[in-house]
Amino acid sequence: MPTLRDIERALYELAPGELAMEGDNVGLLVGRPDREVVKILAALDVTEAVAEEAEKLGANLIVAHHPVMNCAWNPVQSLREDTLQGRLLRLLVRENLSAICMHTNLDAAQGGVNDALAQRLSLEEVEPLVEGGIPRMGLLPAPMPLSDFLAMVRKRLRPNGIRYVNAHRTVRRVAVGGGACGEFFAAAAEKGCDAFVTADVKYNQFLDAETLGLCLIDAGHFPTEDVVCPVVERFLLERFPDLAVQKSISHREVIQYYV
């Protein structure tokens, strides 16, 4: 059976560690490197529900996108049962569950989050939006009205809701940035994109995008990044054909919309 070290090394082939942003916490974050892996659960996040799902499935490794200990915004200073992170980490340890996380390196990697998002939206001639940047841009097979494109985004990504600015233009050239990539909207407009699909867009970014004539579409953080989980699942199944790998069914979009 492969070890945690074997799985981590394979995932670094898919998403090289040097692509991670400075300060990002990626790799084997919970577990002993020489421990044998019997089954893997792939998920966007390591949550208590995902950990419980892994335990019920008999999986002893969770491979996730977002780091279970992301020290950029939630530094680990204690391991207390009465804190959200402490309770989660204690659950992982108690159930002997390991965690490997590939974050901004998987965002930037060829075939990673943003290429998966571009593929899900049927973009062709896909290329980086900016040199060294995470977002991608490409062409739809044919131009379409924004209303039709929004319907396609809704069908392909299955967000609970979509926030957008209507720049009143036909959509053909599209930029995509899984997760929080709203800061690239101006680059998308400069590159002649008709629409930019991303998430976590700020109010002033919507205002500026409308002025620039860009259809800025916020399809949600989870929906724009969860597209990479099947990619990770397929990659691990191909690399370790004798190992059981499964995408989480318990983890889904948490944000609801009241209209």
Side-chain angles (χ1 to χ4, degrees), residues 27-166:
L28 175 59
L29 303 185
V30 180
R32 191 181 70 246
D34 62 354
R35 185 187 183 198
E36 290 189 344
V37 178
V38 296
K39 189 172 186 177
I40 298 174
L41 182 66
L44 191 69
D45 301 278
V46 183
T47 65
E48 290 186 42
V50 169
E52 291 167 357
E53 181 183 5
E55 192 274 329
K56 290 178 182 178
L57 288 171
N60 64 342
L61 170 61
I62 299 170
V63 172
H65 181 48
H66 294 132
V68 63
M69 292 172 285
N70 196 317
C71 299
W73 64 70
N74 197 9
V76 181
Q77 301 290 349
S78 64
L79 198 60
R80 294 173 45 155
E81 194 78 34
D82 61 343
T83 66
L84 292 175
Q85 187 176 57
R87 188 166 68 236
L88 172 60
L89 293 174
R90 285 173 59 86
L91 173 61
L92 293 175
V93 173
R94 187 167 59 247
E95 299 299 336
N96 205 15
L97 295 169
S98 301
I100 296 176
C101 303
M102 297 286 145
H103 191 209
T104 50
N105 52 326
L106 189 57
D107 286 324
Q110 184 175 356
V113 172
N114 291 289
D115 286 317
L117 180 55
Q119 183 178 30
R120 184 67 66 89
L121 296 179
S122 298
L123 299 186
E124 302 170 347
E125 302 179 32
V126 176
E127 59 182 307
L129 177 63
V130 296
E131 185 177 354
I134 286 175
R136 304 290 195 260
M137 67 177 178
L139 298 173
L140 291 168
M144 62 175 63
L146 177 62
S147 58
D148 291 351
F149 181 64
L150 288 170
M152 186 180 77
V153 171
R154 177 71 177 88
K155 181 178 180 181
R156 301 284 180 85
L157 301 184
R158 298 181 181 178
N160 289 336
I162 296 175
R163 300 188 303 148
Y164 70 97
V165 157
N166 187 349

